[in-house]
Amino acid sequence: MMPGTARLVEVCNEHYGSSSNNEGAVELWYRWLNEGYPVYATVGTDIHGPADPTLEFAFNVVYAQEFSEAAILEGVRHGHCYLSSGPRLDFAGQSSSGAAMMGDSLTGNRF
């Protein structure tokens, strides 16, 4: 299976240890990255009711200019997102060509 024109793929569903084949999805995502496909990872859930409070569920974090559907989708399109089940992170870099955040590319010399 190849990603085609997909820009993102759900690699975790429910909690990580569930029967949703999360490990297989992560392995496939890594393979696509190693083959040169720039596909961003997302997490979702199909829970239709109260979640088990003893389980840690993964979540998406998207860096967006504002809290709106359009801005969140724009952030995802640029790869300004990550998934986690715990820590929240802030990624940034800088080179002679300018500043960048997660999902961006830098060229030029590093400072």
Side-chain angles (χ1 to χ4, degrees), residues 19-86:
S19 61
S20 293
N21 193 30
N22 296 319
E23 289 183 25
V26 169
E27 288 174 15
L28 178 62
W29 175 58
Y30 281 144
R31 190 175 83 223
W32 286 344
L33 291 175
N34 288 327
E35 291 174 358
Y37 296 99
V39 179
Y40 304 115
T42 63
V43 64
T45 179
D46 292 330
I47 297 172
H48 301 277
D52 183 340
T54 64
L55 299 173
E56 289 186 19
F57 291 85
F59 52 87
N60 296 293
V61 177
V62 179
Y63 294 99
Q65 294 296 318
E66 61 183 48
F67 189 63
S68 70
E69 180 181 350
I72 291 169
L73 290 174
E74 184 71 14
V76 171
R77 263 191 292 281
H78 290 288
H80 298 166
C81 56
Y82 67 92
L83 57 99
S84 180
S85 61

